[in-house]
Amino acid sequence: PKLMDEKKLWAIKFMNNLSGPLSITNYQMGPLIACRMVQLSSQYGYCSESAFGFLGYGQAQISVFEDVDEGYRWGKIALSLLESLGGKGYLPKMRCLFNSYVSLWKEPFHASSNVLLHTHSEAMLVGDVEYASVSAFFYCRQALVCGQNLLLAEKECKAVASKMVQLKQIQMCYGQVNTYIFILKMNGNYGIVNPFPEIFDGKIANEEELLNLALSSGKRINAKGILSNRFQVAFWLGQFEEAAELAEKAKPPPKMSFMEVYHVFCEGLTAFQLARRSSSSSASKWMTIGEEAVTRFR
């Protein structure tokens, strides 16, 4: 049944709008809000925003309970519900979130990446500049993992960051510029190319200042992303001692996410590399860390 109670309708709309900012500042609240949206919808009726409660519930099944099959099932239910309710304006946002957080656990990674690129254009067509930017950000991140040429990635990342500035999506610029810095470091161009043109009103000149801004403004997820990229750069460049020092600082929040899986993968291989290079007395420490990573990765 369709939700007819106006107060309940606006309550669900409010929670839907609240879930985005909370995912950055207080991610633990996300599953609670999703459960409340599902409860209200099941009791009083459904609206387009209800679908995002079901999607959030599916995300919680994966991130909290580590049940990928159940999370994916609820994600598909959310997509079907939104389509049945005729919420066409919300479809780009739904596809963005589904392919950024849910489908990648069950479907080929490059498939999600391609959908996100298309979703960016769809979101722009319906005037949803926020999720057009979110889609572009996750596309850039996922394309890297799929083995995208780094020179092409550098050009695309720069173009996306500039577009975010034009659209005044400064929040997403934190993550996008961080990705851009990662690519510049991998290409050996960091310090040669300026990754901060016209961003943050010229107040940010380097990665350390970007990190301090994220920490001072309470954007813990953004801060973790910067530390995570530092760790990954050290890992991929073979600087394993530095990677080991950064591993603990860069550790993602304790929930099942792609960031955590990728971190565990890199941390485990770093530990095994150091175990091979170390004396017998310290090798056991690195072997323990590596074996713990293998257990977690499974």
Side-chain angles (χ1 to χ4, degrees), residues 240 264-278 283 285-295:
F240 297 113
V264 169
F265 172 77
C266 296
E267 185 180 27
L269 290 182
T270 296
F272 286 134
Q273 278 286 347
L274 292 175
R276 295 177 63 185
R277 300 179 182 185
S278 303
K285 178 189 77 171
W286 296 118
M287 284 299 296
T288 299
I289 293 173
E291 289 166 359
E292 288 174 351
V294 170
T295 301

Side-chain angles (χ1 to χ4, degrees), residues 79 82-83 87-96 119 122:
L79 275 167
L82 184 59
E83 289 172 352
K88 292 183 179 179
Y90 278 132
L91 278 174
K93 176 181 176 180
M94 175 62 75
R95 291 191 183 116
C96 169
T119 300
E122 285 187 327

Side-chain angles (χ1 to χ4, degrees), residues 30-238:
L32 296 176
I33 290 176
C35 287
R36 183 60 174 156
M37 290 173 71
V38 171
Q39 181 188 39
L40 286 174
S41 299
S42 300
Q43 187 173 355
Y44 296 102
Y46 300 95
C47 59
S48 295
E49 290 80 5
S50 300
F52 293 97
F54 284 89
L55 181 67
Y57 182 75
Q59 287 178 244
Q61 290 293 322
I62 295 171
S63 63
V64 179
F65 300 107
E66 301 186 3
D67 189 338
V68 171
D69 290 335
E70 189 69 2
Y72 184 76
R73 186 175 76 85
W74 280 99
K76 296 293 280 187
I77 289 172
L79 275 167
S80 299
L81 177 62
L82 184 59
E83 289 172 352
S84 68
L85 291 169
K88 292 183 179 179
Y90 278 132
L91 278 174
K93 176 181 176 180
M94 175 62 75
R95 291 191 183 116
C96 169
L97 294 173
F98 179 75
N99 285 280
S100 298
Y101 297 107
V102 178
S103 69
L104 56 89
W105 298 103
K106 294 283 287 184
E107 300 174 14
F109 215 69
H110 64 83
S112 296
S113 175
N114 292 335
V115 171
L116 287 167
L117 182 60
H118 182 65
T119 300
H120 165 74
S121 300
E122 285 187 327
M124 289 297 294
L125 286 174
V126 299
D128 189 347
V129 296
E130 179 183 0
Y131 279 90
S133 297
V134 175
S135 297
F137 165 73
F138 277 107
Y139 162 74
C140 290
R141 293 294 297 183
Q142 293 192 14
L144 276 177
V145 180
C146 292
Q148 183 185 36
N149 180 281
L150 286 175
L151 293 177
L152 174 61
E154 183 177 328
K155 291 179 181 178
E156 286 191 340
C157 241
K158 181 179 180 180
V160 169
S162 298
K163 193 168 187 178
M164 286 179 180
V165 174
Q166 294 173 6
L167 296 173
K168 301 187 185 303
Q169 296 298 304
I170 303 305
Q171 174 56 48
M172 289 309 303
C173 280
Y174 280 94
Q176 189 64 25
V177 169
N178 188 31
T179 301
Y180 189 25
I181 290 173
F182 172 82
I183 295 170
L184 290 174
K185 286 182 177 180
M186 295 298 294
N187 281 340
N189 288 332
Y190 185 63
I192 300 172
V193 177
N194 176 19
F196 301 101
E198 303 173 0
I199 299 176
F200 307 117
D201 298 323
K203 296 176 182 178
I204 304 299
N206 54 56
E207 185 185 44
E208 192 63 33
E209 291 182 2
L210 183 66
L211 175 60
N212 290 335
L213 178 61
L215 290 170
S216 64
S217 55
K219 296 177 174 62
R220 293 176 291 174
I221 297 297
N222 296 122
K224 279 290 184 182
I226 294 168
L227 294 170
S228 177
N229 274 2
R230 286 181 178 178
F231 164 64
Q232 290 168 24
V233 167
F235 169 79
W236 287 113
L237 295 181

